[in-house]
């Protein structure tokens, strides 16, 4: 989007105070987390939360994650605490792990889209934790993009998508993890993976043993981040699963490569996610690289999958959902 933009401020102590006051008063503030930028509103203020849905163009059947400063504040949002949830929070919070807890009536149905669970997360980014501490309220915040589009990992990417709609954008630099949090539900005392994300499944399994994976897509509104088509660039995207790109790849196509590609000259533009081969490096660069390719007006983006382990799993999940769009 071009034209008017929301005030954008470096996350100084004064800007953090202003942002915390805005949130307490029912304003909408974009802020950095270690995963991606979030678009926050006071979770118990339905008018403020409704504005988040409007600003994103997000359907109301898609529930939001509530961000808290610590585990005690998470407990206050739940009627019951599964012991496994507590164990996971104590081990991995603050950090890129979202847990579904049985919802307390203090959480409006608008936040959870009428579901009996509330998604809760305690971010580790210093700006996010300082903001949550100063505001001292739970903050509902989806990723700060227009619905279905690429998640922003810089303040500029937020401003470009959301224009003047937020009351304030806090700039905390690029997000270090770069991909959204891992979402787990606890079902019958066992953890179920609903969205692979910034905390690697291997790390979780090292703590609690094997984790069941929920259905990969969910056409119904239980977790629209799992809608088959999501996280999409505007340019049609083809995932090169096993197959080399067709000859038509020549010309106005771009390549999102995992490591340095063999024949970069075949493409009008190439972005390499992990010159070192480390999927964490790839995750940190993923959305910004895709955004740069998307801005070039290419006919098609070809994307190489990452190795399917660690954060590579989360990257491949996002790529598959982005690729659905090409088949429209
Ligand atoms: O890293 C993140 O999680 C970022 C930062 C800002 O914290 N947030 C984020 O939020 O990715 P969002 O709204 O873009 O994605 C949250 C996902 C959605 O797919 C939503 O459907 C799912 O979480 N979700 C939220 N509450 C849920 C619930 N009660 N049950 C199942 N899924 C839920
Ligand atoms: Mg999102």
């Amino acid at each position: 989007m071009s034209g008017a933009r929301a005030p954008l401020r470096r996350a100084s102590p004064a800007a953090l105070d202003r942002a915390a006051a805005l949130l307490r008063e029912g304003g909408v503030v974009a802020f950095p987390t270690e995963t991606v930028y979030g678009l926050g509103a006071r979770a118990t203020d339905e008018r403020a939360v409704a504005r988040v849905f409007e600003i994103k163009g997000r359907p109301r059947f898609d529930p939001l994650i509530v961000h808290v400063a610590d585990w005690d504040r998470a407990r206050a949002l739940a009627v019951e605490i599964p012991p496994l949830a507590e164990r996971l929070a104590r081990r991995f919070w603050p950090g890129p792990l979202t847990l579904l807890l049985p919802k307390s009536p203090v959480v409006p149905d608008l936040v959870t889209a009428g579901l009996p669970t509330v998604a809760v997360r305690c971010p580790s980014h210093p700006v996010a934790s300082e903001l949550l501490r100063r505001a001292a309220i739970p903050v509902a915040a989806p990723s700060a993009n227009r619905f279905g589009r690429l998640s922003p990992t810089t303040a500029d990417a937020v401003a470009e998508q959301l224009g003047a709609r937020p009351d304030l954008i806090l700039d905390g630099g690029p997000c270090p993890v770069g991909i959204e949090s891992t979402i787990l539900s606890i079902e019958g005392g066992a953890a179920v993976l609903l969205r692979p994300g910034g905390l690697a499944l291997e790390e979780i399994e090292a703590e609690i043993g094997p984790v069941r994976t929920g259905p990969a897509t969910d056409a119904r509104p239980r977790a629209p981040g799992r809608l088959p088509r999501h996280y999409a660039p505007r340019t049609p995207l083809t995932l090169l699963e096993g197959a080399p790109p067709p000859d038509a790849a020549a010309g106005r196509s771009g390549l999102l490569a995992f490591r340095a590609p063999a024949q970069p000259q075949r493409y009008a533009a190439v972005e390499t996610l992990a010159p070192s081969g480390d999927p964490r490096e790839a995750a940190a660069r993923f959305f910004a690289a895709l955004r740069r390719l998307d801005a070039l007006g290419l006919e098609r983006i070809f994307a190489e999958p990452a190795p399917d382990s660690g954060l590579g799993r989360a990257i491949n999940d996002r790529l598959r959902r982005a690729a659905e769009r090409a088949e429209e």
Side-chain angles (χ1 to χ4, degrees):
M1 166 186 284
S2 57
R5 288 195 166 197
L8 191 153
R9 290 179 67 180
R10 193 177 55 80
S12 63
L16 280 160
D17 277 339
R18 173 76 186 129
L22 276 167
L23 286 172
R24 294 183 62 83
E25 292 158 10
V28 174
V29 174
F31 62 97
T33 80
E34 71 279 22
T35 58
V36 301
Y37 275 72
L39 185 67
R42 185 174 193 147
T44 52
D45 181 336
E46 293 199 48
R47 281 183 54 177
V49 173
R51 263 189 75 205
V52 169
F53 281 93
E54 266 164 46
I55 291 174
K56 278 189 63 99
R58 176 166 173 145
R60 297 221 176 174
F61 61 68
D62 194 352
L64 307 182
I65 295 175
V66 180
H67 297 66
V68 290
D70 54 43
W71 173 243
D72 283 341
R73 282 176 229 230
R75 299 180 69 106
L77 303 173
V79 280
E80 185 204 315
I81 303 293
L84 187 56
E86 171 141 20
R87 179 163 165 206
L88 287 163
R90 296 217 181 274
R91 170 70 179 81
F92 293 112
W93 280 13
L97 173 66
T98 295
L99 295 167
L100 300 196
L101 302 175
K103 158 192 172 321
S104 141
V106 303
V107 181
D109 283 333
L110 179 58
V111 170
T112 61
L115 292 170
T117 53
V118 57
V120 200
R121 133 167 163 80
C122 174
S124 64
H125 193 291
V127 172
S129 38
E130 194 50 40
L131 177 63
L132 291 166
R133 240 192 314 273
R134 287 180 196 221
I137 50 170
V139 172
S143 52
N145 50 282
R146 296 280 292 169
F147 182 68
R149 301 280 316 284
L150 300 176
S151 298
T153 53
T154 60
D156 242 30
V158 176
E160 192 189 291
Q161 286 201 43
L162 302 184
R165 298 181 185 103
D167 295 312
L168 177 65
I169 301 173
L170 273 183
D171 187 352
C175 301
V177 174
I179 208 140
E180 301 87 346
S181 61
T182 301
I183 304 182
L184 291 181
S185 68
I186 312 292
E187 296 173 21
V192 178
L193 178 70
L194 293 188
R195 177 175 75 178
L199 178 64
L201 185 61
E202 289 86 340
E203 280 197 62
I204 299 169
E205 292 191 325
E207 176 73 14
I208 62 168
V211 170
R212 188 150 56 86
T213 300
T217 59
D218 198 346
R220 271 166 315 146
R222 202 165 59 131
R226 296 153 68 213
L227 284 172
R229 192 187 317 120
H230 211 74
Y231 308 107
R234 293 209 164 108
T235 314
L237 185 142
T238 300
L239 187 53
L240 299 171
E241 287 198 273
D247 278 345
R252 295 290 302 154
S253 317
L255 177 68
L256 186 69
F258 184 73
R259 296 191 83 154
Q263 294 180 294
Q265 70 280 6
R266 295 186 63 183
Y267 298 91
V270 175
E271 290 280 347
T272 302
L273 291 180
S276 71
D278 182 345
R280 283 173 301 185
E281 181 185 25
R285 301 162 71 128
F286 176 68
F287 281 116
L290 200 46
R291 184 168 159 251
R292 283 192 295 271
L293 286 176
D294 200 23
L296 297 176
L298 300 165
E299 278 162 31
R300 184 165 293 274
I301 297 168
F302 291 93
E304 282 175 7
D308 215 27
S309 62
L311 297 201
R313 203 188 311 267
I315 294 172
N316 292 340
D317 170 80
R318 308 306 186 270
L319 281 175
R320 283 191 200 103
R321 289 172 216 280
E324 291 289 324
R325 207 182 162 86
E327 271 90 57
E328 266 182 337

